[in-house]
Amino acid sequence: MSTPLTVGELRTALDEIRRTSAGLGAQATNLAARAEDDLGRDVAEIVEDLRAVARQLKVAQLLLEPARADLAA
């Protein structure tokens, strides 16, 4: 059996998820831009996929904001 989750642990986990999402989103955006510039039309579908991933990660960050605010209060 595991130990009970604390508010501090939850806050730390949410912050880590937000940071990781932000970092991965930035990487996906940067990689999409570089692929489009350097490889052009050959990887158009991959560029679209990377941009979609970046958007999804941004949405994840936004969805976590209310929980983060609640835990900060």
Side-chain angles (χ1 to χ4, degrees):
M1 199 187 311
S2 65
T3 60
L5 180 66
T6 67
V7 172
E9 290 172 321
L10 182 57
R11 184 182 301 124
T12 299
L14 285 174
D15 284 342
E16 185 176 331
I17 292 168
R18 285 181 60 254
R19 279 193 304 273
T20 301
S21 294
L24 290 173
Q27 286 179 354
T29 298
N30 183 43
L31 190 55
R34 290 183 62 206
E36 186 173 48
D37 291 345
D38 297 343
L39 303 174
R41 303 186 126 248
D42 295 337
V43 295
E45 189 172 327
I46 293 170
V47 169
E48 287 178 26
D49 291 346
L50 286 168
R51 289 201 170 119
V53 167
R55 284 190 302 273
Q56 290 171 355
L57 288 165
K58 182 62 176 175
V59 168
Q61 288 177 271
L62 293 173
L63 290 173
L64 290 173
E65 281 301 319
R68 184 173 183 257
D70 289 346
L71 289 172

